[in-house]
Amino acid sequence: MRLIQRCLRASLVVLWCVLTVRGHAALAQQLPPVDTTTPAPKLADGTPDLSGVWMGGSPVASLADGLPLGETIPILPEAQAIKNSRQTKDDPVYNCLPSGVPRGTMYPWKIVQTPKRIYFLYEGNIHSYREIYMDRASHPSGDRSNPTWFGDSIGRWDGNTLVVDTVGFNDRTWLDGLGHPHTERLHVVERYTRLNMGTLQNVITIDDPGAYARPFVVTFSARLLAGWELMEYICNENNNTEHLVGTPTRDPRR
């Protein structure tokens, strides 16, 4: 198991060079089993407990993977042209830059939950993190508004669902591995529900009138990695992107 964990947590470059489709499938089979029979836990005050180390739950590969059956991404022509022009070597993630929202990470990530703050800690990339404010109801405005990679996130509970409202993005991240763009007008609402002990559902509403004709919804699920902890990850060592040629395509390992 330690060998498998080490392989899974290797750098993106090593994964690209070493893992095959068959090898990745075999590795996935040896992840901890998903406990779908035990009810989702709650804290002493009755608040849902989302804490733990998770895998998945975001459009790492393609936004389309989370669309309802029969729907398509309502991308505007200008945004489609930007997507078509993007090269794999320019992917921010492969250049050790933050993955942004809602793209997330292909590596394990951790939720740390407190009454006033909820933190998302990312093992991959550059040990990025998101801070979700549970003790305020509005986003900064005016001089206090500063576009960032992960934006400004405020959270609230809607029954057993954590609702995270995020604005204030810069336009430098990709929404997924295929290069779907966004503008600084991006507004993301995520609804996290722990369906059972081992499954965390994330229903994401993406609203960006600068790049998409209308808001649209994608849904992804994360699995609990019971007993796991995040490990050290160094992205900017020997990370040569010159071998990544061509336009972004679906990575068959994801």
Side-chain angles (χ1 to χ4, degrees):
M1 179 59 73
R2 284 186 64 84
L3 177 59
I4 292 169
Q5 291 179 356
R6 288 177 185 274
C7 290
L8 184 62
R9 293 176 165 110
S11 70
L12 275 173
V13 174
V14 174
L15 281 171
W16 271 75
C17 296
V18 177
L19 289 179
T20 62
V21 176
R22 180 178 298 178
H24 187 268
L27 188 152
Q29 291 175 3
Q30 297 184 58
L31 291 174
V34 179
D35 182 354
T36 60
T37 59
T38 304
K42 293 191 175 183
L43 301 175
D45 63 359
T47 302
D49 183 1
L50 307 184
S51 61
V53 176
W54 301 90
M55 177 73 84
S58 60
V60 173
S62 171
L63 287 169
D65 291 342
L67 286 172
L69 187 64
E71 290 197 15
T72 58
I73 299 171
I75 190 169
L76 294 173
E78 315 90 87
Q80 182 67 54
I82 293 173
K83 177 181 179 296
N84 292 344
S85 70
R86 286 181 161 169
Q87 300 293 303
T88 301
K89 65 181 179 62
D90 300 322
D91 189 334
V93 169
Y94 297 155
N95 287 275
C96 301
L97 295 171
S99 56
V101 179
R103 185 176 180 182
T105 177
M106 66 182 289
Y107 294 95
W109 59 285
K110 185 175 186 177
I111 296 180
V112 178
Q113 188 171 335
T114 73
K116 293 185 177 181
R117 298 285 192 277
I118 294 179
Y119 299 93
F120 291 179
L121 309 179
Y122 298 111
E123 175 179 294
N125 191 251
I126 53 173
H127 276 305
S128 305
Y129 70 93
R130 289 178 64 189
E131 185 174 21
I132 299 166
Y133 293 86
M134 302 296 293
D135 56 352
R136 59 177 169 87
S138 61
H139 297 287
S141 60
D143 292 340
R144 297 177 58 238
S145 178
N146 180 31
T148 58
W149 294 88
F150 288 107
D152 180 79
S153 297
I154 55 177
R156 62 178 177 84
W157 291 105
D158 180 9
N160 291 327
T161 298
L162 172 66
V163 182
V164 182
D165 186 289
T166 308
V167 298
F169 297 101
N170 63 35
D171 61 358
R172 299 178 63 187
T173 63
W174 295 7
L175 293 183
D176 61 9
L178 296 182
H180 281 93
H182 67 85
T183 71
E184 291 189 358
R185 300 168 69 185
L186 176 65
H187 179 194
V188 178
V189 177
E190 301 154 283
R191 296 181 61 89
Y192 292 93
T193 306
R194 192 165 187 174
L195 302 179
N196 46 59
M197 177 62 75
T199 309
L200 181 66
Q201 183 187 69
N202 183 14
V203 180
I204 309 163
T205 301
I206 298 171
D207 184 6
D208 183 357
Y212 300 93
R214 55 175 173 78
F216 61 100
V217 178
V218 291
T219 302
F220 294 87
S221 292
R223 60 185 297 169
L224 180 69
L225 300 182
W228 286 42
E229 287 295 343
L230 302 188
M231 294 178 67
E232 186 177 58
Y233 179 104
I234 306 299
C235 179
N236 58 359
E237 183 178 3
N238 301 321
N239 194 45
N240 181 2
T241 60
E242 293 306 314
H243 66 285
L244 301 177
V245 296
T247 56
T249 58
R250 177 184 298 277
D251 183 342
R253 294 182 301 275
R254 302 181 195 174

